[in-house]
Amino acid sequence: MIFDMDGTLFQTETLLVHVHDRLFKQLREEGLYLKETPPVERLIACLGMLLEDIWRRVMPDGSEAAHRRADELMLQYELEGLEAGQGKLYPYVEQTLQELHSRGIKLFVASNGLEDYVKGVARAKGIDQWFDGLYSAGEFQTSSKVDLVAKLLQDHNIQTAWMVGDRSSDVEAGVNNVLTVIGCQYAGFGRESELEGSDAIMTDFRELLTFIEEE
């Protein structure tokens, strides 16, 4: 099983609310972005995208220098927040991953996030022990989740797998790599239409165990 991170395993907004204002305050102090802080909801709505696409939407009037500095600050503040115990997994994620692992199912993450962030979340929340690989666009410099998942499958010689995620990029990655796609509808970041093309939709993480038993 291949999981997206933000909006699938990790309730990212529980970390971002602490990061968002701090980030824009620092950008203003450095003279890189002098307008009002965009609403945090705009940033949350972009979760799952590549960072360069996120900043184009969150501050379209910001300079390239502001966008790249925002990359650095977001990672720094996220890691500091994780270290301080901020951020939560979705309900039943920990127990369900442990059960899937105990059944001998190989588990992976494929995220459009930065390497240190993805691995930092898994480590801080104690779920890294159950994964065979934590893949990120930041580590492998992939331009799409389709390519990231293709690399993961090739690296581990995987013939069949499930792609589990909450955004259209997850569905696209699953469909284009001929995987079973499970759409997650509990995060509320994207539109319902984003999950069109999924083989099944779940509203509770524990449903994965039911889906497996029905196979």
Side-chain angles (χ1 to χ4, degrees):
M1 281 192 183
I2 304 167
F3 296 91
D4 173 45
M5 177 64 84
D6 294 326
T8 299
L9 301 176
F10 186 56
Q11 248 177 303
T12 320
E13 69 274 21
T14 60
L15 178 62
L16 278 187
V17 291
H18 301 281
V19 169
H20 183 73
D21 285 340
R22 192 179 169 200
L23 184 153
F24 280 96
K25 182 173 182 240
Q26 185 62 31
L27 286 179
R28 273 195 294 275
E29 285 182 7
E30 295 178 12
L32 288 169
Y33 190 77
L34 301 176
K35 299 194 175 180
E36 286 187 19
T37 299
V40 68
E41 290 78 15
R42 190 184 299 171
L43 178 58
I44 290 169
C46 294
L47 292 176
M49 297 179 184
L50 295 167
L51 268 180
E52 58 194 50
D53 297 326
I54 288 177
W55 299 125
R56 283 196 198 108
R57 291 206 184 187
V58 172
M59 47 172 165
D61 46 358
S63 65
E64 187 65 22
H67 290 180
R68 297 294 69 82
R69 181 61 174 142
D71 288 347
E72 297 169 356
L73 291 171
M74 184 139 101
L75 178 60
Q76 178 190 334
Y77 295 160
E78 283 175 335
L79 293 178
E80 288 174 4
L82 288 167
E83 192 74 25
Q86 295 167 0
K88 297 177 184 177
L89 298 171
Y90 283 101
Y92 311 112
V93 163
E94 193 172 351
Q95 303 93 312
T96 304
L97 290 177
Q98 187 173 11
E99 176 62 25
L100 291 168
H101 182 264
S102 72
R103 296 188 189 192
I105 297 169
K106 287 189 174 294
L107 307 177
F108 297 88
V109 164
S111 167
N112 277 335
L114 295 173
E115 177 184 4
D116 288 345
Y117 167 74
V118 173
K119 291 179 177 176
V121 170
R123 185 173 57 251
K125 299 306 162 189
I127 58 174
D128 54 336
Q129 60 187 309
W130 298 312
F131 286 98
D132 286 79
L134 300 168
Y135 278 60
S136 62
E139 180 174 4
F140 296 106
Q141 298 300 301
T142 46
S143 59
S144 74
K145 190 164 283 192
V146 173
D147 294 341
L148 183 64
V149 170
K151 175 170 178 51
L152 188 161
L153 296 170
Q154 184 176 21
D155 286 354
H156 295 270
N157 194 27
I158 296 169
Q159 307 302 320
T160 59
W162 289 14
M163 181 72 218
V164 184
D166 69 304
R167 303 306 298 258
S168 57
S169 57
D170 300 309
V171 178
E172 182 186 22
V175 169
N176 280 271
N177 285 291
V178 199
L179 308 179
T180 297
V181 179
I182 309 296
C184 304
Q185 213 167 44
Y186 43 75
F189 297 151
R191 303 176 303 277
E192 280 190 35
S193 60
E194 284 207 60
L195 297 177
E196 286 177 6
S198 300
D199 295 288
I201 302 287
M202 67 177 184
T203 57
D204 182 309
F205 202 79
R206 291 171 294 182
E207 289 179 72
L208 276 176
L209 300 173
T210 307
F211 292 155
I212 284 177
E213 286 154 9
E214 290 171 353
E215 278 287 294

